[in-house]
């Protein structure tokens, strides 16, 4: 039982089926950092296929370093945030998952599966936006069973106030309408702007000191490739609760979650690993 | 005066002339992380020009995260390592600087200038080796005044024992013959192998816990883009010492340098920044 967790019971590694075995082939299984190298290969593969941009590769490297400090596993602290995040998304009236290139390359299948379980829309949102990239990412998500992909350029006619880049453009039927937005790998500006618009923002960010981590309502300090399958498991467990208790328990989980405290505790985990 | 430093007096930022102003143009000068973004742009530019590979972009991102933990400045601890490194290279009978794609993209000018000051050969050594990439990197270094570039495929007929990848191939007139090798951004396997061959290895690595950092004789825990110009400054200062004292002082600096202690102190700097 994870300390502080209301429903979590197991902690085994689970990457869903997002990791393709064929990408695994040339990494020796006994390599001390085989998993990290495998994920890196998936991203480089996503780069070659046009989902990921060069800046996304650099961002991934930053994540790798913070994940290394986390011991490359989901901490108990992150499990608590995962429970709060899952509850918030299940309680949402209109949840939306925002997908960028790195997430599409690493977690397309899990994102689609999670969207089914929580009844969320999926919206593509790119900092480096091109019609070609949008199309490739849309195809990737559809390939894993997504019905509808929001956020395509022609339909992204709404604008997030205060933002300057292409990321300000959002879909009126997606993020603009959402009450709760899951932003795995988001930049600080946009997270702040979404919070200012009154939305509940759930972020996944390996850097507990980032502006995204600090401004989101609920921040999961974990690798998205581990956190997303764990969110699905958590959602399934929450759905297994008796209906008359479920909403009350989920509301309590969200209410009791303290993001600044959780971030400080994740920092402590990193500090201990640096010792 | 840097505590513990025998010769260091100033600590101002100095990137040599490696940062091209034209790459600076679209980053707002008041951006809190303008320097980091500027360096990132140089690397992406190097990627577009064929010097850097996708794995190099990810590796750079990892470095960015550790540099963030260092506060993006050269610590006093790193200054001590820079003095020891500069002394060791000046005392060397046959020093060689190993250059990979990222270093060529970020520090070509500084590497060439340092090689002039310490009388070192420059050898290109690539994990992802192609004739085209070698040629582009060679051209980049020559463009900044390098006379001779070692390590081209046709001449790299010597082999580092125990290594499997393309990085095992070295130039018989370069790293194979060297008594002291400067390896900015090296992988752990190769650093260990070079140390086993009896060479003095000077590494620049932002991760004080990496195998490279732990196995090198002298590790500078700093961003290479800051450390290399500081090495040039240090070499100039050492050369300014009276000739009859110089060798003795440099030997003392090298002898008194304690790499494991220095790494632990760099870890402490990071831990404090995480607090």
């Amino acid at each position: 039982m994870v300390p502080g967790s209301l429903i979590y019971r197991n902690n085994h590694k689970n990457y869903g089926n997002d990791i393709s075995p064929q990408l695994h082939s040339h990494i020796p299984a006994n390599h001390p950092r085989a998993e990290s190298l495998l994920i890196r290969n998936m991203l480089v593969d996503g780069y070659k296929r046009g989902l990921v941009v060069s800046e996304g590769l650099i961002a991934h490297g930053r994540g790798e370093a913070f994940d290394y400090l986390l011991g490359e596993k989901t901490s108990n602290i992150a499990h608590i945030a995962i429970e709060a995040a899952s509850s918030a998304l299940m309680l949402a009236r209109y949840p939306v998952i925002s997908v960028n290139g790195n997430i599409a390359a690493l977690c397309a299948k899990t994102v689609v599966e999670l969207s089914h379980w929580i009844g969320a829309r999926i919206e593509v949102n790119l900092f480096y936006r091109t019609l070609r990239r949008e199309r490739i990412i849309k195809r990737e998500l559809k390939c894993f069973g997504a019905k509808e992909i929001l956020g395509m350029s022609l339909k992204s006619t709404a604008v997030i106030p205060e933002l300057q880049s292409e990321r300000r453009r959002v879909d009126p039927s997606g993020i603009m309408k959402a009450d709760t937005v899951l932003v795995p790998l988001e930049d600080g500006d946009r997270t702040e702007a979404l919070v200012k618009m009154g939305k509940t923002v759930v972020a996944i960010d390996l850097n507990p000191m980032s502006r995204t981590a600090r401004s989101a309502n609920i921040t999961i300090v974990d690798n998205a490739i581990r956190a997303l399958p764990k969110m699905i498991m958590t959602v399934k467990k929450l759905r297994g609760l008796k209906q008359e208790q479920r909403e009350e328990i989920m509301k309590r989980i969200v209410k009791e979650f303290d993001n600044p405290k959780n971030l400080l505790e994740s920092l402590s985990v990193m500090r201990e690993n640096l010792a």
Side-chain angles (χ1 to χ4, degrees), chain A residues 109-122:
Chain A
K109 185 174 183 292
T110 329
V111 160
V112 174
E113 196 181 337
L114 179 63
S115 77
H116 289 326
W117 281 98
I118 60 175
R121 308 292 199 281
I122 298 175

Side-chain angles (χ1 to χ4, degrees), chain A residues 21-228:
Chain A
Q22 69 272 19
L23 288 171
H24 211 149
S25 55
H26 66 286
I27 301 168
N30 63 349
H31 191 289
R33 312 204 47 253
E35 267 172 18
S36 173
L37 295 178
L38 169 58
I39 297 169
R40 193 186 302 171
N41 281 5
M42 288 172 65
L43 197 76
V44 171
D45 179 67
Y47 178 77
K48 287 173 187 158
R49 292 190 293 135
L51 286 90
V52 173
V53 290
S54 48
E55 286 76 5
L57 295 177
I58 297 178
H60 182 77
R62 279 199 303 285
E64 275 188 3
F66 285 107
D67 203 12
Y68 177 89
L69 295 181
L70 276 179
E72 289 168 350
K73 58 177 190 277
T74 305
S75 69
N76 290 343
I77 314 303
H79 273 117
I80 293 168
I82 286 171
E83 268 181 20
S86 306
S87 301
L89 286 161
M90 281 180 72
L91 288 166
R93 182 186 45 75
Y94 199 89
V96 172
I97 306 176
S98 177
V99 172
N100 69 6
N102 283 25
I103 286 293
L106 296 178
C107 313
K109 185 174 183 292
T110 329
V111 160
V112 174
E113 196 181 337
L114 179 63
S115 77
H116 289 326
W117 281 98
I118 60 175
R121 308 292 199 281
I122 298 175
E123 175 161 345
V124 172
N125 196 273
L126 306 176
F127 197 94
Y128 301 94
R129 196 192 267 273
T130 66
L131 292 174
R132 180 173 174 270
R133 234 185 125 208
E134 279 176 7
R135 258 201 318 271
I136 296 172
I137 291 172
K138 180 177 178 174
R139 197 170 57 206
E140 183 77 3
L141 292 161
K142 289 234 164 183
C143 178
F144 287 106
K147 295 280 175 297
E148 186 193 20
I149 304 298
L150 305 171
M152 297 295 112
S153 273
L154 291 176
K155 298 213 172 159
S156 294
T157 50
V159 160
I160 303 177
E162 300 181 46
L163 286 187
Q164 298 306 321
S165 77
E166 274 298 292
R167 291 201 105 174
R168 72 201 302 233
R169 289 172 57 193
V170 287
D171 199 313
S173 317
I175 287 171
M176 194 44 106
K177 192 173 163 187
D179 59 340
T180 305
V181 190
L182 170 61
V183 286
L185 320 185
E186 186 56 86
D187 67 80
D189 277 353
R190 195 153 172 270
T191 307
E192 279 179 359
L194 292 172
V195 170
K196 274 193 193 160
M197 288 169 82
K199 300 180 191 303
T200 299
V201 178
V202 176
I204 306 179
D205 195 323
L206 278 157
N207 176 3
M209 296 166 290
S210 75
R211 262 201 305 156
T212 296
R214 287 181 286 126
S215 52
N217 302 91
I218 298 171
T219 305
I220 302 168
V221 179
D222 196 16
N223 194 326
I225 215 168
R226 287 191 304 266
L228 287 167

